[in-house]
Amino acid sequence: KAGVTQTPRYLIKTRGQQVTLSCSPISGHRSVSWYQQTPGQGLQFLFEYFSETQRNKGNFPGRFSGRQFSNSRSEMNVSTLELGDSALYLCASNGQGENIQYFGAGTRLSVL
Amino acid sequence: EDQVTQSPEALRLQEGESSSLNCSYTVSGLRGLFWYRQDPGKGPEFLFTLYSAGEEKEKERLKATLTKKESFLHITAPKPEDSATYLCAVQARAGNNRKLIWGLGTSLAVNP
C-alpha cells in the first residue's frame, strides 16, 4: 500500500510569488491535513479537508489556502510569498474513524 | 489554551544507556496522545497512540506511558539507529476535529 505522496520535494521561490503544493493521501483515506514545520515553531496546523470540504482551519493568514479533489488528492496554495513562509510543509492523511495521521515526506519551500 | 511541552530539548546517550523523554500537556479533553519519530529530511513516522491515563504501549526498545498531565517515552538500551527527533502531539476531544497540537520535539543522539 503506497504511503502519502507529496510533490514537489523541494521548491525555491522569490518573495511575492505564489506556490502550489500537492498531496496524494493513502488509498482509501478521505481526510487530509496540512502542517507547516519550522525549527522555532515546530509543527503548526494549517487546515484539514474531508470529502472535498474544509473541516478545520488553523491560525494562518488568508494567503494560505487549500482544496481537495473528488479523488481525495489535496493541494495547498500560498500567495504573495514572504521570507517567513520558508518551511517544511507536511501533509498527513487518516482513514475514516481512525485517529492516526500518516505523513508524507514533505515539501521543503525556500523563499528568497 | 491547549499546549504541549517536551523535555529535554536535546539528549545525547551512549549506546545501551537507557533514558526517558517527557511530554507534558494541557488540553481541554484528551482524545489521544501521539508519539512520532522524525528523521532528517523525512516526515514524522507514527510510533504510538495513548488514550487514557495508565495506558502503556511498547515497541522494541521503546515504551510509552500516559498520566493525566504527561507522557513518557522510555528508551531501553538504545542503539545508534534510534537517533532521531521524537515528537509528541495531542488531539483534543472536540467533534470531528483531527487537529494535532505538537511539542517542539526532543532531538536524540545515540553514540556507538
Side-chain angles (χ1 to χ4, degrees):
Chain A
K1 199 172 185 181
V4 177
T5 304
Q6 291 189 246
T7 57
R9 288 294 315 277
Y10 304 93
L11 266 177
I12 299 176
K13 293 285 186 179
T14 56
R15 279 186 303 171
Q17 287 186 311
Q18 77 165 22
V19 67
T20 299
L21 313 182
S22 179
C23 171
S24 293
I26 292 171
S27 177
H29 286 191
R30 292 161 62 188
S31 172
V32 173
S33 298
W34 287 89
Y35 294 86
Q36 180 194 67
Q37 186 176 29
T38 57
Q41 299 291 321
L43 278 98
Q44 295 199 294
F45 175 76
L46 282 155
F47 26 67
E48 180 202 359
Y49 285 88
F50 179 80
S51 293
E52 302 180 67
T53 301
Q54 188 179 86
R55 187 156 68 176
N56 197 21
K57 189 177 188 305
N59 298 322
F60 278 80
R63 300 184 297 107
F64 292 82
S65 63
R67 59 178 175 169
Q68 186 179 34
F69 302 95
S70 59
N71 62 357
S72 295
R73 189 178 71 86
S74 178
E75 286 182 349
M76 190 193 105
N77 185 275
V78 188
S79 62
T80 318
L81 283 166
E82 300 177 359
L83 295 178
D85 296 334
S86 294
L88 180 66
Y89 290 88
L90 292 160
C91 166
S93 74
N94 56 282
Q96 192 166 357
E98 185 181 6
N99 286 332
I100 300 168
Q101 293 187 11
Y102 299 93
F103 284 82
T107 294
R108 171 75 61 187
L109 173 64
S110 297
V111 182
L112 306 178
Chain B
E1 184 184 346
D2 299 337
Q3 194 170 358
V4 176
T5 303
Q6 290 188 246
S7 62
E9 193 174 311
L11 182 63
R12 187 176 293 275
L13 300 173
Q14 288 298 123
E15 185 172 1
E17 179 187 1
S18 302
S19 188
S20 297
L21 314 182
N22 177 265
C23 170
S24 62
Y25 64 92
T26 54
V27 65
S28 51
L30 180 70
R31 171 178 277 165
L33 184 140
F34 302 78
W35 282 99
Y36 283 81
R37 166 192 172 129
Q38 187 173 26
D39 293 294
K42 295 187 177 181
E45 175 189 347
F46 172 75
L47 292 173
F48 304 108
T49 308
L50 301 167
Y51 293 106
S52 56
E55 190 175 358
E56 299 182 352
K57 287 193 177 171
E58 284 188 74
K59 179 181 177 181
E60 295 180 354
R61 296 177 292 283
L62 300 177
K63 178 180 177 180
T65 62
L66 180 65
T67 72
K68 287 188 177 179
K69 292 185 177 181
E70 59 189 349
S71 176
F72 290 94
L73 184 65
H74 307 279
I75 304 177
T76 302
K79 297 182 178 181
E81 53 261 43
D82 295 322
S83 298
T85 296
Y86 290 85
L87 297 166
C88 171
V90 297
Q91 191 174 61
R93 190 185 306 278
N96 287 323
N97 188 347
R98 300 287 183 189
K99 179 177 77 172
L100 291 175
I101 301 154
W102 297 82
L104 293 180
T106 293
S107 177
L108 173 66
V110 181
N111 297 325

